[in-house]
Amino acid sequence: MKVQEVVNPPRGAQVVRECASECLRITYKELFDNCYDLYQRDFQSDEGKEGAVTQEMKGPRLDSLSFWDKLITLIVAAIEEDKLSYAPVLNQFPNDFNIALLSAEVMWTLFSIDMKNALEG
């Protein structure tokens, strides 16, 4: 009930946007940190397609083109899922909030930061 005590409480759309942005940041971190396993689970039907994989190869690999390719695939899939699954539910604020656009904005912004760091490092 603290919101009722605020002189200018935030608009509902802004609160939902901030919550969704934080969820998207957490989702991106999960995709980044578990890229190999998530990609294997969701996109590869052949278990032995890439041969033996060490635990070190499974983690985030900033020096691996394969890692970035898999991460891009996972990001696109997450944005599509947000667009198809969550947009119909979160349409109470059609003029103020679009989950598909927010998802794309947050995911690609975080990706560009990681890509920039990898290229500079």
Side-chain angles (χ1 to χ4, degrees):
M1 292 296 137
K2 295 275 184 189
V3 172
Q4 293 176 344
E5 297 172 11
V6 176
V7 176
N8 291 320
R11 294 179 46 135
Q14 184 61 32
V15 172
V16 172
R17 181 181 180 83
E18 289 172 9
C19 289
S21 292
E22 187 58 30
C23 288
L24 290 164
R25 281 189 279 283
I26 292 167
T27 298
Y28 177 83
K29 183 174 178 359
E30 184 72 18
L31 294 177
F32 187 89
D33 291 343
N34 300 294
C35 184
Y36 181 82
D37 291 332
L38 293 171
Y39 185 86
Q40 286 294 109
R41 185 191 71 198
D42 294 346
F43 294 102
Q44 283 197 305
S45 57
D46 299 336
E47 288 297 319
K49 200 170 190 178
E50 290 191 13
V53 178
T54 65
Q55 192 62 29
E56 182 180 300
M57 292 169 66
K58 286 185 177 185
R61 298 278 316 266
L62 301 180
D63 63 341
S64 168
L65 289 178
S66 177
F67 169 80
W68 294 106
D69 179 54
K70 287 174 176 56
L71 182 59
I72 289 169
T73 301
L74 292 170
I75 289 170
V76 170
I79 293 169
E80 277 299 307
E81 183 177 347
D82 291 345
K83 181 174 135 186
L84 297 174
S85 299
Y86 299 113
V89 177
L90 296 172
N91 66 355
Q92 296 105 352
F93 313 105
N95 296 328
D96 298 322
F97 177 71
N98 182 321
I99 189 64
L101 294 177
L102 180 65
S103 179
E105 176 188 340
V106 170
M107 292 284 187
W108 292 123
T109 298
L110 294 172
F111 174 81
S112 68
I113 291 167
D114 285 337
M115 178 61 78
K116 179 179 182 265
N117 292 338
L119 292 171
E120 289 176 347

